[in-house]
């Protein structure tokens, strides 16, 4: 139960904020603060300071304009500091992360009497590795001849860039964070400058004291609030928790944009292997082992496994050579082939199982070799290799070991057979570009991650808040609960937006002559846009497919050349900048956008007075994971359209409508050009889940 002292402290902090920031108290914001504080205050601790009761998780859908960031900060931060836990705020988008870091937290720190520190957490791949930078420059100077086995060696034209980065980092002008570089750097260039966890030798690295990644991690130690993203949180949990971020048992999580968490987790657990890509790195590995043995010799303790490694590689390559023609025959002219019920043909499954045999001793060999090279870097230990050999080979062998681990894990998922009645694993083939040609990729993914999230997150965390403007689907939390594994005992709340939608906006379901399945639909939407778009105002037109966007653009480009901005033809940030500039100059501007413009874009006031949604944003029907979920539901007599497809479309439609009214002064209209809202029975369910705009 929330103590009276905690309650009074939170109320006092809220009053401080309202006064200092000159804000108007909002009923919904106060409700959200109270519900989060009540949930966290009900946590009971065991003698180790860990939660041991069914409390401490609040799920709050907060309508646009609630002020949810301030609400969860004021409710959770005092509780985290009091309980000596870390408050970890996780977002799905960079835009929200930057807003919290650059605006919300600095403003709060200046405003309230509760002192706190905050830090940003990112994955290792966003930070400079000084050892890799040093090796790249040595390559370019001819001082280092060891080949980089998995990436092309640094190119001469990048020498000036690498030297400037070294100077900038050494002088303290840059902190080694890729996202804080003044100029963008290409992925290919950056790949030579950052290390994976298998390449990194941690404290044994000669540059450890100056490491950008570990400096950032040290800053987290002193932080009360850590800002991260969903992907990093999920990656840390998959490593057991506490690998990069604080352990779940010592953390109160806030998942802002929480409706993305389950989808992010699905992508995180997906495993894939490209046949040609595997063949390429294994051939490089065989050459690499030959070079390594020639350069360093073979210690007695690893002699057997290292001498057997080339034959193991050849056996794997032999099996892969048999897989390729079989896959080509299966996929034919298709771009993708999904296996029904997740069951692969037995002949393919047996070929993949054959790879696992020689892969296992190879994996053990690389693991042992990687460990020996790591120890040889440590002057305090008696290593098997000279320091020069260890410095030259530890990173390439670390990459090899990581690739072998990925292959082994993917094969386990691909070859597994689920127990009767268990949730199936989605498995499919797809063609993907590779070099000058194409590859065939084998993919496997769970169709639901509720069990993983329940086990690794909800049961372990000290406390959690899940929030977003769109957590319910068709006015229910059922979809969120099923997909993300949130417990039934969590505190589920809906906080309505303070906006008077009836006065601020109009909703116009348009009944065109045709529906989206008709060949006439494209001509009908173009006619409607021609007659109903005010070229002097700010308009956002949202499409569900790139092909339709581009076809519509081709029609209007000549006549609307001075007003039209299209996603895919300019960077997103540049579209927003130009759009605002035109409106500020009293000109009209029209954005044609896809899904990423339907969420997270903030264009208040005159920037957008008309939102046009071309059709109901149903998911792409050929998505292999969604198709597998639908198949599984149908096999159990359930209705995937009503339980899965329609609720997901409802969330996306609410998000799209949320682009119109961003402040209490905004005015405008939403037009939805999909007659199914009026002609189909499910249309009423979708309309009833939207904000209560005035219907026209």
């Amino acid at each position: 139960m929330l103590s009276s002292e905690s309650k009074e402290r939170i109320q006092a902090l809220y009053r401080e904020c309202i006064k200092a920031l000159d804000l108007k108290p909002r009923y919904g914001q106060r409700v959200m603060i109270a519900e989060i504080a009540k949930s966290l205050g009900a946590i009971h601790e065991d003698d180790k300071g860990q939660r041991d009761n069914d409390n401490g998780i609040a799920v709050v859908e907060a309508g646009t304009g609630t002020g949810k960031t301030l609400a969860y900060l004021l409710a959770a931060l005092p509780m985290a500091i009091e309980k000596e836990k870390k408050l970890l705020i996780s977002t799905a988008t960079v835009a929200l992360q930057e807003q919290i870091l650059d605006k919300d937290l600095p403003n709060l720190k200046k405003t309230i009497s509760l002192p706190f520190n905050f830090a940003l957490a990112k994955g290792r791949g966003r930070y400079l590795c000084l050892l890799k930078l040093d090796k790249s420059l040595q390559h370019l100077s001819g001082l280092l001849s060891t080949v980089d086995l998995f990436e092309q060696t640094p190119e001469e034209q990048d020498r000036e860039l690498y030297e400037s980065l070294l100077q900038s980092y050494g002088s303290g002008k840059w902190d080694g964070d890729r996202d804080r570089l003044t100029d963008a750097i290409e992925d290919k260039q950056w790949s030579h400058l950052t290390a994976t966890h298998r390449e990194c030798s941690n404290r044994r690295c000669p540059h450890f004291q100056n490491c950008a990644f570990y400096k950032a991690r040290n800053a987290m130690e002193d932080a009360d609030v850590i800002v991260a993203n969903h992907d990093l949180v999920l990656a840390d949990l998959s490593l057991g928790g506490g690998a990069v971020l604080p352990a779940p048992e010592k953390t109160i999580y806030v998942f802002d944009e929480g409706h993305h968490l389950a989808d992010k987790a699905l992508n995180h657990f997906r495993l894939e292997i490209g046949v040609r890509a595997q063949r390429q790195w294994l051939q490089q590995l065989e050459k690499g082992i030959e070079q390594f043995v020639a350069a360093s010799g073979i210690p007695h303790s690893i002699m057997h496994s290292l001498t057997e490694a080339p034959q193991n590689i050849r056996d794997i390559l032999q099996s892969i050579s048999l897989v390729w023609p079989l896959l080509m025959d299966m996929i034919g002219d298709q771009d993708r082939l999904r296996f029904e019920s997740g069951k692969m043909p037995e002949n393919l499954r047996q070929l993949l199982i054959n790879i696992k045999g020689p892969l296992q001793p190879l994996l053990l060999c690389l693991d042992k070799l990687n460990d020996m090279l790591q120890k040889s870097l440590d002057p305090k230990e008696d290593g098997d290799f000279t320091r020069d050999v260890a410095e030259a080979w530890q990173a390439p062998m670390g990459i090899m070991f990581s690739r072998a681990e990925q292959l082994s894990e993917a094969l386990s998922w691909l070859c597994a057979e689920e127990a009767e009645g268990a949730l199936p694993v989605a498995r499919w083939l797809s063609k993907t570009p590779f070099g000058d040609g194409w590859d065939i990729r084998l993919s496997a993914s769970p169709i639901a991650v509720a069990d993983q999230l329940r086990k690794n997150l909800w049961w372990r965390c000290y406390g959690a808040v899940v929030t977003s403007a769109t957590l319910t689907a068709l006015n229910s939390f059922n979809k969120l609960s099923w997909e993300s594994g949130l417990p039934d005992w969590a505190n589920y709340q809906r906080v309505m937006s303070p906006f008077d939608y009836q006065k601020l906006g109009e909703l116009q379901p348009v009944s065109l002559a045709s529906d989206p399945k008709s060949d006439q639909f494209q001509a009908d939407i173009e006619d409607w846009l021609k007659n109903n778009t005010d070229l002097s105002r700010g308009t956002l037109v949202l499409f569900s497919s790139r092909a339709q966007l581009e076809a519509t653009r081709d029609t209007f480009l000549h006549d609307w050349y001075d007003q039209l901005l299209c996603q895919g033809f300019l960077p997103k940030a540049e579209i927003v900048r130009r759009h605002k500039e035109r409106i500020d100059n009293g000109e009209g501007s029209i954005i044609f956008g896809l899904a990423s413009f339907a969420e997270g874009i903030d264009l208040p006031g005159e920037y957008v007075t008309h939102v046009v949604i071309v059709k109901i944003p149903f998911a792409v029907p050929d998505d292999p994971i969604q198709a597998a979920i639908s198949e599984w539901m149908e096999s159990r007599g359930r209705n995937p359209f009503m339980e899965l497809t329609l609720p997901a479309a409802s969330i996306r439609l609410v998000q799209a409508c949320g682009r119109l009214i961003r402040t209490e002064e905004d005015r405008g209209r939403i037009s939805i050009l999909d007659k199914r809202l009026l002609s189909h029975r499910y249309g009423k369910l979708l309309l009833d889940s939207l904000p209560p705009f005035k219907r026209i």
Side-chain angles (χ1 to χ4, degrees):
M1 181 177 175
L2 184 67
S3 68
S4 56
E5 293 85 355
S6 297
K7 184 176 180 180
E8 289 170 8
R9 186 186 307 110
I10 291 169
Q11 289 174 339
L13 292 173
Y14 185 58
R15 288 193 295 270
E16 288 178 10
C17 281
I18 295 298
K19 182 178 179 180
L21 299 175
D22 195 25
L23 300 173
K24 187 166 78 173
R26 299 174 180 177
Y27 173 74
Q29 191 174 56
R30 292 199 300 268
V31 170
M32 185 172 178
I33 291 171
E35 293 297 338
I36 293 172
K38 182 175 73 174
S39 295
L40 297 178
I43 294 172
H44 182 269
E45 296 181 3
D46 61 17
D47 54 5
K48 296 180 181 178
Q50 297 178 9
R51 174 172 63 92
D52 67 353
N53 65 335
D54 289 346
N55 270 307
I57 297 178
V59 183
V60 186
E61 180 179 81
T64 305
T66 302
K68 67 180 186 306
T69 308
L70 183 61
Y72 63 62
L73 284 171
L74 288 176
L77 180 57
M79 302 295 290
I81 292 175
E82 177 187 333
K83 301 292 185 180
E84 297 183 344
K85 309 299 179 189
K86 297 286 188 182
L87 179 62
L88 195 152
I89 301 169
S90 177
T91 72
T93 62
V94 173
L96 180 57
Q97 188 180 72
E98 289 177 346
Q99 178 194 312
I100 292 170
L101 274 168
D102 300 335
K103 180 182 175 184
D104 297 331
L105 285 170
N107 284 348
L108 187 66
K109 186 170 183 176
K110 288 186 292 186
T111 302
I112 62 174
S113 56
L114 179 69
F116 69 91
N117 295 316
F118 60 90
L120 172 64
K122 294 185 181 181
R124 191 188 301 271
R126 307 307 296 176
Y127 290 99
L128 171 73
C129 170
L130 276 171
L131 185 64
K132 291 277 292 267
L133 174 57
D134 184 41
K135 285 185 176 181
S136 294
L137 288 170
Q138 287 187 56
H139 271 300
L140 293 170
S141 302
L143 300 176
L144 192 65
S145 58
T146 306
V147 293
D148 189 337
L149 295 169
F150 293 103
E151 298 160 336
Q152 294 179 349
T153 52
E155 298 182 10
E156 181 60 36
Q157 69 236 33
D158 295 328
R159 181 200 293 266
E160 187 176 338
L161 168 66
Y162 294 163
E163 288 175 345
S164 69
L165 291 178
L166 180 61
Q167 194 278 329
S168 181
Y169 186 75
S171 65
K173 293 178 181 177
W174 176 50
D175 64 359
D177 181 343
R178 180 182 181 178
D179 300 313
R180 294 188 182 275
L181 284 170
T182 309
D183 300 315
I185 183 170
E186 294 178 10
D187 290 345
K188 185 178 177 182
Q189 295 169 319
W190 183 253
S191 68
H192 299 297
L193 308 179
T194 191
T196 65
H197 78 286
R198 286 298 183 197
E199 292 174 88
C200 179
S201 55
N202 301 320
R203 296 183 180 278
R204 291 162 173 156
C205 176
H207 300 288
F208 179 77
Q209 295 301 326
N210 293 313
C211 177
F213 172 68
Y214 282 101
K215 282 182 179 179
R217 277 194 68 177
N218 289 339
M220 282 198 297
E221 296 293 326
D222 301 324
D224 304 290
V225 182
I226 297 167
V227 182
N229 61 38
H230 296 350
D231 288 319
L232 182 59
V233 173
L234 291 163
D236 188 67
L237 291 173
S238 70
L239 293 172
V244 176
L245 301 171
E249 293 81 4
K250 299 178 180 178
T251 304
I252 296 174
Y253 294 91
V254 175
F255 292 102
D256 205 337
E257 301 176 311
H259 61 288
H260 283 299
L261 185 61
D263 285 339
K264 292 280 187 182
L266 268 178
N267 287 330
H268 183 78
F269 286 109
R270 175 188 297 187
L271 290 163
E272 4 188 66
I273 52 173
V275 178
R276 291 182 65 192
Q278 295 301 316
R279 183 189 295 158
Q280 183 184 75
W281 86 263
L282 283 161
Q283 289 168 342
Q284 292 169 329
L285 172 58
E286 188 174 5
K287 292 178 184 175
I289 288 177
E290 289 176 8
Q291 292 180 22
F292 174 75
V293 170
S296 58
I298 309 179
H300 181 75
S301 59
I302 201 173
M303 183 174 290
H304 177 72
S305 56
L306 200 56
T307 14
E308 292 291 318
Q311 185 58 50
N312 290 329
I313 295 169
R314 287 191 286 273
D315 290 344
I316 296 169
L317 287 169
Q318 175 63 29
S319 293
I320 288 176
S321 69
L322 298 174
V323 168
W324 177 258
L326 182 60
L327 296 186
M328 285 185 66
D329 185 56
M330 286 180 178
I331 201 166
D333 295 330
Q334 304 171 86
D335 289 327
R336 181 185 290 151
L337 170 67
R338 184 180 68 85
F339 298 118
E340 288 188 17
S341 304
K343 294 180 180 177
M344 285 195 305
E346 190 58 27
N347 54 349
L348 173 58
R349 184 170 167 272
Q350 284 301 323
L351 283 176
L352 297 178
I353 288 173
N354 291 344
I355 295 175
K356 294 174 71 174
L359 178 61
Q360 191 58 32
L362 179 64
L363 188 64
L364 293 172
C365 172
L366 293 173
D367 186 6
K368 188 171 183 179
L369 181 58
N370 189 56
D371 185 55
M372 291 168 68
L373 288 166
Q374 289 266 15
K375 287 180 178 177
S376 298
L377 287 171
D378 194 337
K380 297 177 182 177
E381 297 198 37
D382 186 18
D384 294 277
F385 302 103
T386 65
R387 187 172 182 85
D388 288 347
V389 166
E391 287 181 350
W393 286 95
Q394 185 271 321
M397 287 299 178
I399 297 177
M400 293 179 187
F401 180 34
S402 181
R403 289 282 180 93
E405 281 183 312
Q406 291 167 15
L407 176 57
S408 177
E409 191 176 1
L411 287 172
S412 295
W413 276 80
L414 288 163
C415 298
E417 291 185 299
E418 288 72 56
E420 189 69 32
L423 277 173
V425 170
R427 297 180 176 91
W428 67 96
L429 309 177
S430 55
K431 289 179 181 175
T432 182
F434 184 81
D436 296 331
W438 51 277
D439 199 353
I440 298 178
R441 183 180 293 160
L442 297 95
S443 302
S445 171
I447 65 169
V449 290
D451 287 344
Q452 290 94 324
L453 290 175
R454 198 177 291 118
K455 176 183 175 184
N456 296 322
L457 178 59
W458 310 126
W459 289 352
R460 291 183 57 193
C461 69
Y462 184 81
V465 177
V466 181
T467 188
S468 167
T470 49
L471 290 182
T472 60
L474 302 176
N475 298 308
S476 167
F477 284 103
N478 289 344
K479 179 176 183 290
L480 175 76
S481 177
W482 184 79
E483 289 182 343
S484 61
L486 280 159
D488 294 338
W489 51 258
N491 180 11
Y492 292 88
Q493 297 290 332
R494 296 185 75 182
V495 178
M496 296 298 106
S497 169
F499 297 154
D500 187 346
Y501 285 105
Q502 280 282 318
K503 292 182 179 179
L504 299 181
E506 299 173 334
L507 177 64
Q508 178 188 25
V510 179
S511 186
L512 297 178
S514 62
D515 71 22
K517 294 182 179 180
S518 166
D519 293 337
Q520 182 62 27
F521 185 64
Q522 181 64 30
D524 286 346
I525 63 171
E526 289 174 3
D527 286 344
W528 190 93
L529 287 170
K530 184 177 181 179
N531 296 320
N532 293 275
T533 303
D534 186 342
L535 300 182
S536 67
R537 307 294 299 275
T539 302
L540 175 62
V541 185
L542 296 169
F543 295 84
S544 294
S545 81
R546 183 175 297 277
Q548 192 166 60
L549 181 153
E550 292 178 354
T552 312
R553 173 186 182 269
D554 291 343
T555 299
F556 289 105
L557 186 59
H558 181 268
D559 293 337
W560 293 2
Y561 186 80
D562 293 329
Q563 291 88 18
L564 192 57
L565 295 162
C566 293
Q567 185 174 0
F569 296 88
L570 284 170
K572 187 176 177 181
E574 180 63 14
I575 289 174
V576 171
R577 188 194 69 78
R578 291 192 190 187
H579 177 81
K580 288 183 174 181
E581 184 177 63
R582 290 176 181 176
I583 300 298
D584 290 340
N585 291 334
E587 304 167 6
S589 183
I590 303 159
I591 296 175
F592 282 5
L594 296 165
S596 61
F597 270 86
E599 180 179 356
I601 290 290
D602 193 26
L603 295 168
E606 294 299 313
Y607 292 132
V608 167
T609 58
H610 192 186
V611 174
V612 180
I613 301 168
V614 171
K615 63 181 181 181
I616 299 168
F618 288 119
V620 179
D622 64 347
D623 178 81
I625 298 177
Q626 296 303 314
I629 297 172
S630 297
E631 182 181 64
W632 175 78
M633 284 184 166
E634 287 173 348
S635 72
R636 276 151 180 75
R638 294 165 62 179
N639 186 333
F641 180 78
M642 294 302 296
E643 291 189 49
L644 181 71
T645 307
L646 194 64
S650 170
I651 290 175
R652 285 190 285 268
L653 197 58
V654 172
Q655 285 282 359
C657 290
R659 296 316 96 208
L660 182 66
I661 305 300
R662 308 301 297 168
T663 73
E664 291 166 330
E665 287 74 42
D666 292 357
R667 300 288 188 277
R669 173 181 291 187
I670 295 168
S671 302
I672 307 176
L673 313 185
D674 193 329
K675 67 183 297 183
R676 292 175 295 183
L677 283 174
L678 302 171
S679 62
H680 287 52
R681 188 181 303 172
Y682 62 73
K684 186 176 187 304
L685 295 173
L686 291 172
L687 287 170
D688 288 347
S689 69
L690 298 178
F693 293 105
K694 179 182 177 182
R695 298 275 179 88
I696 60 171

